Each structure stands twice: as structure tokens, then as C-alpha cells.
Amino acid sequence: MCGIIGVTGNKRSVSILINGLKRLEYRGYDSAGIYVNDMNGHDYLIKRKGRISNLEAAINDNVNGMSGIGHTRWATHGEPNEVNAHPQYSADERFYLVHNGVIENFKQLKQEYLQDVHFKSQTDTEVVVQLVDRFVTKYQMDTKTALLKVLRLINPDSSYAFAMMDREQADTIYVAKNKSPLLIGLADGYNMVGSDAMSMIDETNKFMEIDDHELVIVKPDHVSIESFDSNEKHRKPFTVDMDASATDKGPYPFYMLKEIDEQSSVMRKLVQHYLPDGDPVIDDDLLAAMMKADHLYIIGAGTSYHAGLAGQRIFEALTGIHTSVHISSEFAYEHPLLSEHPFFIFLSQSGETADSREVLVQVNKHKWPSLTITNVDKSTLSREADYTLLIDAGPEIAVASTKAYTAQIAVEAILAKALGQKKEISAAEKFPLKSELSNIANGIQAITDGKDKIAAIAAHYLAKPRNAFYIGRGVDWSVALEAALKLKEISYVQSEGFASGELKHGTIALIENHTPVIGIITQDRTAGLTRSNLEETQSRGAAILTIVSRHLSMDDDTIIIPDVNELLTPLISIVPAQLLAYYTSLGKGLDVDKPRNLAKSVTVQ
Ligand code: AGP
């Protein structure tokens, strides 16, 4: 988490930095700051607690610079306040540093080298910038040598993306990374650094990758790259086609509602992209690599993990290959006995999740084949996996993931059909995916068109309770997990997704008068059982609600959703749950898009 932006050259830096920070606010929003230098002997450091708007309000017309660095923070070390906000700076106010990540051995470094230094902040970052200053002032190293020495002293398990400025070389930004994302942006007469391409897209669409353990020196007209052991590197820039206007909120009060509404058009776009004539258009090399697999391991976190659960049964049904789904932060440190020919599928909207990347690093060490299914082309997980499939969802800005979930499941289904067809599995050959996805696009639209009714249900049932449950069986349970995550993360209602048959084995003790229990019912085999489980909670005072496929519906069901193929019901049953979460949060007057304590891109382990 945390967003970094920097610029040096022939343009006024303040507005570029603020614009970049606004585009990066999804990465963290508890405090923000900039350091700018006018390359004429004047410099400015401004930091504020809270949102970028607070920082922007604190910058007056006198603040001018041609170079600068900026940061929006998601706190790891030290509470969110102005002192702990970045840039952190050295005691003599010569060096300024912004950082995303965690320095694992910062306490040891402080103890060993900086016992006599007075620290202003509680951050691990300040140790790094004070240490650079120590090596420059006490041991007369030049800035680059001092920074390289510090980088070599940082424990390799640490994660960092750094941008550092030295007021005595005001046109230069020193950049380094390990595990955390960072990109160089190349423009005409000025160059940039940023946590992602979107943060620089208003200035340039030409970028250069940085690998782990590289030091990059960014000047207005030149960028040099070298490894920590001082080998010069040459790298070709690449361009990114990105529509910056796609990040506009338009008439919507919050991005989340816009993104929920966009799901029907994302489905249609995926059909055009991957299924123009009905047969999936998927890279032959990818399919050939997957043909050798005896087990598919799907890896993800949060919503992406839930999208994997929905995909698991599609892969097994259409390809006949055993498929398992794993939470990345667990799999990285304790995984099951692996099969002889594993194939790894990484699901990640951002393509930057540190927990998932940790698994990919290990997978690459073993040279196991891998695919990333992501929304962000050239993201870290996309670059480092053998293959990438894009989910074409357009930028997802709200912290609560919605359209990425449905798009990930749709791409899993497309891939499963392609692989199944290659294996000549008749279930895959017969599966009418193109028409099903088109049908689903219409179904999603019908649900979002009826959002007023869902808003009223949220106001009636979910505004007051502290606890709520989503329940279901099989794939409906996997949707219950995602539905509960949506509700808890933006409305702060303590909500759990539960296997409906499991409630009576303990959790039913939590049911009180008016506790909402929402049943998801889309599968013929288990519909009756889930209804019985709902009734068991109703007998104990619960307020029961249902999200039910039309052909299984009864008179007093709460929300009836269009019928779709049983393998694909998560694409449609999640939509009312997304809207229930949205309207509950809205009704409480919360910031729907930026819930407390969270960030969109989780780049620390
Ligand atoms: C869900 O609403 C969250 N934004 C979160 O669970 C997210 O899905 C998770 O952090 C994984 O992110 P990724 O898909 O970008 O890897």
C-alpha cells in the first residue's frame, strides 16, 4: 500500500504531484505529503493527516518546484499523523524520502548506526533516510554510494519502493525497489516515478520497468539503471494504452455504484474480446502449457480468492483437471503436498498484491508454469508470470472490489472452456458460454435497474444490526463469503459467510432477535436444505432474507434473480449483495469508496 509519485524537469511539479497522488489515493489515505524544490535554492515540505484534499488545501501559491516527490500513506509503523506522514527527512533536512513497504530490520539498523540520532517519527522509513545522511556526512560518501550502502544493509525480506531527493542535487530523484511496485515514466523534458502507470498517465504513456534490487537515477533528461552490485542495465521503454477518463466518476456519488453498474458492460466486452465467434480466443502456448497439468492451483487474496472458489468448480466441470483454491498469504508459508505437474493461476485485480506475489516468486524459483488473471496489464504479477489474461474491467477505484470479481469468474470460465475443448471434453464443447454470458449481462442489468428496491431492503434490515450472516451451500457458500466481505468492509456490520449446514454446529448461538440471515439459493440440489437452515435461524429470532434464482423462488422470497447456468450463478447472485452492502454503507453516511483502515492495493505482507 502507500502511493509514490515523483517528477523532475521542465514542468511545475506541484500540480503533477497532487494529480498523481489523487490517482494513487486508492493505495492508502490516512496522511499525505510532498517535498518540492524549485532548483533555485528554495524548497518546501508539506504534510497533512487525512486525505489528499487536506494536503492540497495546505499548499499555497508560493509553493513552487520543478522537482519533487509525494506520498499517500497507509500506516504500517506509527499512527497516521503529520509527523509519521512521508516524506521523512534527515536531521539536517538535506535528504527527503518516500517509501512504500516495510523495512524488517529497521530496529537493528537504528541500534547499530543511529543511537545518537533524535528520531521525530515512529516510522521505519525515517531510519533509512537518517542512515543515508549518516553515511554522507560522517563518512563523506557521495549520495549514490551512501544509498547503495543502505540498500545493501536492508534485510532482503524487506519490501520497499523508495524515491529520495537530496536538496544539494535538486534535479535528481534516487529510486530503488524490492517487492513493492514502482515504475519510471518518461516524458518530454521531464521524467517521473510512480507506483503505477495510472498515476502518471496524464503526463505520459511511456514507461520503464524497474526490477527488484536496482538503483535508478532519474534526471530531467536521463534515466540510468544499475544493480545493487553496480552493473549498468539497459532497458527498453514500453507504452501503455490507458483511457484516463475511464477513472471519472461521472454522475455517480461513489465509484462503487458506478462499478457495480458497469458489470453488465464488462460481460459484453469480455464476450467480444474472448468469444467473438463462440469459441474462446486464448493463446495456444498457454493452453499447451495447461494441457500438461495434473492439478490447477488457484491463488488469490480477499475477493480474488472468492473468485477462485467460484472458478474451481467451473475448471473441474469443464476440464476434468483437479483444481484447488488457496489464500495466497497461507500458501506462501504452508502449502499442501503438490502434484507432479502443477499449474498455477494467480487471480489479482491489481496484479500487485504482495501475498500473491510471494507465492509467484516461489513458483518461479521452481520453474513451475503460471498464469496471472488480472485487470492491470504490465502489473508485477502480470510481468512475472509466464502468461497473462486480462479481465477488461476498466479501472476499479472503489476499495470494495465488485466488477473485478465477476470479470475474473467470467475469464476463468472462458479459459476453462478453451482448455476443456482442447482436451475434447464434451461438457466444455457443449457449454454455450457466449450466450450464457450475454444472458448474464442482461440479468445483471435487470438487477441494477431495480436498485431502489434493494436500497429499501438495506435500509429496513441492515441499517441497525451489529451482526449479519450470509449463508448458502456449495457455490452459494462461496458467494456468501464474498457477500459478507462486501458488507463488512464498507458498512462495518460484522458479517460472516457461512456454509448453511454448518450453522447449527455452533454459530447459530449468535442469532438474536432481528439478526439478518441472508440465504443465497441458486442450486437445485441444495435449495431445500438452505431454506430449512434459514427457518432454523428464523425460529431463533433471525430476520431472514433470500437471494433466489427465479425457477427456485417462492412467494415470500426477498430478491429474485434471473436464471442462468448453474455453473455461472455467482456472476449474478453476487450483484444484489453488492448493492445491499453499498446502500447500507451509504445509509450510514460512510465513505463508501474509502472504508476505514483499508487500501485498494495491498503491497505489504
Ligand atoms: C475486496 O473488496 C478487497 N478490495 C480485497 O479483498 C482484494 O480483493 C484483495 O486485497 C486482493 O486484491 P487483488 O485482487 O488486487 O490481488
Side-chain angles (χ1 to χ4, degrees):
M1 3 269 247
C2 301
I4 287 177
I5 185 83
V7 60
T8 177
N10 62 6
K11 281 249 191 146
R12 288 175 176 268
S13 60
V14 174
S15 57
I16 295 178
L17 294 178
I18 293 295
N19 188 40
L21 288 179
K22 283 182 180 164
R23 290 200 177 279
L24 289 169
E25 203 168 14
Y26 72 88
R27 302 178 73 91
Y29 34 81
D30 55 41
S31 56
I34 56 168
Y35 168 79
V36 294
N37 193 306
D38 70 359
M39 301 195 199
N40 224 351
H42 305 104
D43 61 355
Y44 308 86
L45 174 71
I46 302 154
K47 306 199 277 183
R48 284 294 179 272
K49 185 177 173 187
R51 303 286 163 89
I52 310 296
S53 52
N54 297 356
L55 175 69
E56 197 175 14
I59 300 172
N60 62 39
D61 292 345
N62 299 330
V63 180
N64 248 314
M66 303 307 285
S67 62
I69 49 178
H71 188 267
T72 178
R73 181 168 185 247
W74 184 86
T76 59
H77 294 71
E79 64 177 278
N81 59 27
E82 211 165 296
V83 174
N84 289 330
H86 299 203
Q88 290 293 317
Y89 54 100
S90 56
D92 60 3
E93 299 182 22
R94 174 173 165 182
F95 296 98
Y96 295 81
L97 178 72
V98 290
H99 167 215
N100 165 28
V102 174
I103 306 301
E104 304 276 347
N105 58 334
F106 80 104
K107 284 189 181 144
Q108 292 94 305
L109 293 173
K110 198 168 170 178
Q111 179 72 20
E112 198 166 332
Y113 295 96
L114 300 166
Q115 281 194 32
D116 55 335
V117 173
H118 169 70
F119 279 81
K120 302 170 290 298
S121 77
Q122 300 154 297
T123 63
D124 50 343
T125 310
E126 188 181 353
V127 173
V128 176
V129 73
Q130 298 279 20
L131 202 49
V132 172
D133 188 58
R134 167 60 43 103
F135 291 143
V136 169
T137 52
K138 193 161 172 192
Y139 302 104
Q140 281 78 48
M141 291 181 188
D142 61 50
T143 301
K144 182 175 126 182
T145 311
L147 179 57
L148 272 171
K149 183 168 170 66
V150 174
L151 292 170
R152 290 189 200 111
L153 287 173
I154 292 173
N155 173 320
D157 286 342
S158 302
S159 56
Y160 54 81
F162 290 139
M164 188 188 84
M165 288 185 65
D166 171 358
R167 74 188 317 177
E168 294 185 11
Q169 289 169 270
D171 68 343
T172 305
I173 304 176
Y174 292 87
V175 170
K177 79 177 269 302
N178 186 42
K179 300 186 183 179
S180 299
L182 207 55
L183 270 182
I184 300 298
L186 305 167
D188 194 12
Y190 60 110
N191 288 316
M192 300 184 68
V193 57
S195 295
D196 65 15
M198 189 55 87
S199 64
M200 301 179 270
I201 200 72
D202 294 317
E203 304 299 326
T204 183
N205 68 349
K206 198 165 154 196
F207 301 99
M208 202 186 270
E209 276 176 38
I210 312 172
D211 284 343
D212 285 353
H213 301 125
E214 286 181 341
L215 174 68
V216 183
I217 298 181
V218 182
K219 289 179 173 286
D221 52 1
H222 184 69
V223 173
S224 66
I225 307 177
E226 60 185 79
S227 61
F228 287 0
D229 44 15
S230 299
N231 286 322
E232 200 182 337
K233 302 270 189 84
H234 296 280
R235 191 155 300 143
K236 282 204 181 119
F238 60 90
T239 53
V240 167
D241 289 326
M242 205 179 259
D243 177 6
S245 68
T247 59
D248 289 347
K249 222 177 341 181
Y252 287 90
F254 287 100
Y255 282 106
M256 186 181 177
L257 190 61
K258 173 176 182 260
E259 290 160 6
I260 291 171
D261 275 0
E262 281 171 352
Q263 292 177 107
S264 52
S265 55
V266 173
M267 287 301 124
R268 292 187 187 110
K269 204 161 145 197
L270 286 170
V271 167
Q272 275 168 16
H273 178 166
Y274 287 108
L275 299 161
D277 303 315
D279 278 334
V281 178
I282 297 283
D283 177 10
D284 271 342
D285 290 348
L286 164 60
L287 294 179
M290 293 185 82
M291 288 289 281
K292 296 180 195 145
D294 57 5
H295 191 125
L296 305 177
Y297 294 88
I298 301 179
I299 310 290
T303 292
S304 291
Y305 167 69
H306 296 154
L309 293 174
Q312 174 185 27
R313 67 204 292 265
I314 308 177
F315 277 112
E316 293 199 334
L318 300 190
T319 71
I321 303 176
H322 187 53
T323 305
S324 55
V325 191
H326 303 270
I327 293 175
S328 50
S329 56
E330 286 296 309
F331 193 92
Y333 303 99
E334 192 145 335
H335 58 71
L337 194 60
L338 298 183
S339 70
E340 213 172 321
H341 302 291
F343 187 96
F344 286 84
I345 300 174
F346 290 84
L347 292 183
S348 177
Q349 186 282 134
S350 63
E352 300 295 351
T353 298
D355 290 320
S356 302
R357 195 213 172 199
E358 180 57 37
V359 181
L360 180 53
V361 168
Q362 295 177 27
V363 163
N364 284 342
K365 270 193 198 138
H366 287 94
K367 297 193 168 31
W368 287 320
S370 60
L371 158 74
T372 292
I373 297 179
T374 181
N375 202 21
V376 184
D377 195 14
K378 310 281 196 313
S379 56
T380 305
L381 283 160
S382 147
R383 292 196 310 266
E384 296 182 357
D386 298 325
Y387 306 95
T388 295
L389 288 178
L390 295 177
I391 61 170
D392 288 346
E396 192 183 65
I397 311 285
V399 164
S401 186
T402 51
K403 60 180 178 174
Y405 172 79
T406 43
Q408 282 170 335
I409 296 170
V411 171
E412 289 177 284
I414 292 163
L415 177 62
K417 179 171 166 68
L419 184 59
Q421 284 186 186
K422 199 165 173 78
K423 293 184 81 188
E424 296 179 1
I425 303 220
S426 75
E429 285 166 337
K430 282 192 258 157
F431 197 65
L433 188 55
K434 182 174 179 174
S435 60
E436 280 295 337
L437 288 181
S438 306
N439 183 22
I440 284 164
N442 297 338
I444 292 174
Q445 194 153 355
I447 297 169
T448 53
D449 285 350
K451 53 169 78 79
D452 289 352
K453 183 186 165 201
I454 297 177
I457 295 167
H460 186 78
Y461 289 99
L462 295 167
K464 296 221 175 74
R466 284 182 307 124
N467 308 314
F469 291 90
Y470 273 96
I471 65 169
R473 288 179 182 241
V475 76
D476 291 336
W477 172 29
S478 80
V479 176
L481 294 173
E482 173 59 10
L485 176 61
K486 286 294 84 83
L487 185 60
K488 74 181 96 169
E489 73 179 317
I490 61 168
S491 75
Y492 316 147
V493 175
Q494 161 104 43
S495 33
E496 296 303 328
F498 240 82
S500 62
E502 186 66 7
L503 269 185
K504 58 186 176 295
H505 296 288
T507 307
I508 203 165
L510 294 175
I511 302 297
E512 296 170 348
N513 272 346
H514 311 300
T515 302
V517 179
I518 306 165
I520 299 181
I521 303 171
T522 68
Q523 306 291 306
D524 294 3
R525 266 174 311 158
T526 55
L529 287 167
T530 298
R531 284 194 188 278
S532 303
N533 298 139
L534 281 168
E535 276 169 32
E536 288 153 15
T537 67
Q538 193 176 32
S539 313
R540 287 153 183 87
I544 63 167
L545 292 85
T546 47
I547 296 173
V548 190
S549 292
R550 181 166 305 286
H551 74 284
L552 296 170
S553 65
M554 294 181 170
D555 284 349
D556 51 359
D557 278 323
T558 325
I559 298 170
I560 296 169
I561 56 175
D563 283 329
V564 300
N565 184 291
E566 278 209 338
L567 281 178
L568 300 175
T569 56
L571 290 172
I572 203 127
S573 58
I574 192 60
V575 181
Q578 294 168 341
L579 287 165
L580 283 172
Y582 173 81
Y583 283 112
T584 306
S585 175
L586 190 74
K588 291 183 171 189
L590 300 171
D591 185 340
V592 179
D593 288 338
K594 295 193 183 75
R596 69 184 177 206
N597 304 340
L598 289 172
K600 180 79 181 157
S601 180
V602 185
T603 55
V604 292
Q605 283 174 262

